[in-house]
Amino acid sequence: MKKRRSAVYPGSFDPITNGHVDIIRRAGILFDEVIIAVIVKPSKKTFFRTPERISLIKNSLREFDLEKVKVVSFSGLLVNYMKEAGSEIIIRGLRAVSDFDYEFQMALMNRKLSGRVETVFLMTDAKFSYLSSSIVREIAGMGGDISALVPGCVARKMRGQIK
Ligand code: COA
């Protein structure tokens, strides 16, 4: 029987944006299963709590009809979670050259920590290259329109929270 190939897409997702959805959709074409791993850092103040970030991701996937995707949270080292998940592939999106240094360092460090892990980079769609979760939080916080930047459920939740 053919081995199922799963990949882990880790991040803060505070909140998930249309740029993330685009990466998830394309990873779903390449892999049998995509595990979205939401990092829990007790020391970091986030806009949405972990259960809210997870539920927004799940609702967004439903909106976009994305299959083969699982959403989990993790804490500690990513390579330890990879082992637990039984996956050896990390998915990361690259938006611009400015992402490269940080991503390069992370990919090499993860490989040093676990020789089995490989990072696969997907170039974001050009229309999302300027997008980030903090930009979305800033625009929403100042009453701007984020409806073209995030899934509908995220836009509604942020509008409700900021009012
Ligand atoms: N579309 C839109 N935005 C995107 C994006 C895309 N395709 N890809 C990245 N981003 C944005 C995010 O929105 C986020 O924006 P913000 O900083 O404005 O909030 C930013 O890029 C980076 O976010 P993210 O992808 O969530 O990465 P991160 O730096 O928050 O988290 C982890 C990276 C979780 C993978 C990393 O910290 C980790 O592995 N931690 C575990 C501990 C560990 O193993 N450390 C050693 C690693 S070598």
Side-chain angles (χ1 to χ4, degrees), residues 21-118:
V21 171
D22 174 54
I23 298 289
I24 297 164
R25 187 184 54 76
R26 287 169 34 218
I29 297 168
L30 298 173
F31 299 97
D32 300 316
E33 179 186 50
V34 180
I35 304 171
I36 305 177
V38 178
I39 182 130
V40 182
K41 280 192 210 160
S43 57
K44 193 177 166 191
K45 200 176 165 339
T46 52
F47 185 85
F48 287 116
R49 289 175 300 115
T50 310
E52 290 176 307
R53 284 184 276 150
I54 290 180
S55 123
L56 286 172
I57 296 171
K58 286 185 176 162
N59 289 339
S60 305
L61 301 178
R62 242 174 266 135
E63 255 175 58
F64 284 86
D65 209 11
L66 297 178
E67 291 170 8
K68 304 196 281 188
V69 183
K70 197 165 119 184
V71 190
V72 301
S73 63
F74 80 102
S75 55
L77 283 180
L78 177 60
V79 288
N80 290 347
Y81 173 70
M82 302 291 297
K83 214 173 185 181
E84 191 188 315
S87 173
E88 293 174 351
I89 296 163
I90 300 172
I91 301 280
R92 295 289 289 169
L94 278 182
R95 289 164 300 171
V97 181
S98 51
D99 282 343
F100 183 79
D101 280 350
Y102 175 59
E103 294 296 339
F104 187 61
Q105 185 188 25
M106 254 199 327
L108 291 187
M109 186 51 77
N110 279 325
R111 201 188 302 154
K112 194 168 177 59
L113 292 169
S114 164
R116 304 177 69 88
V117 161
E118 200 62 72

Side-chain angles (χ1 to χ4, degrees), residues 3-24:
K3 194 171 163 238
R4 272 173 71 79
R5 262 196 112 77
S6 80
V8 173
Y9 182 29
S12 309
F13 302 101
D14 187 32
I16 186 169
T17 68
N18 287 346
H20 294 125
V21 171
D22 174 54
I23 298 289
I24 297 164

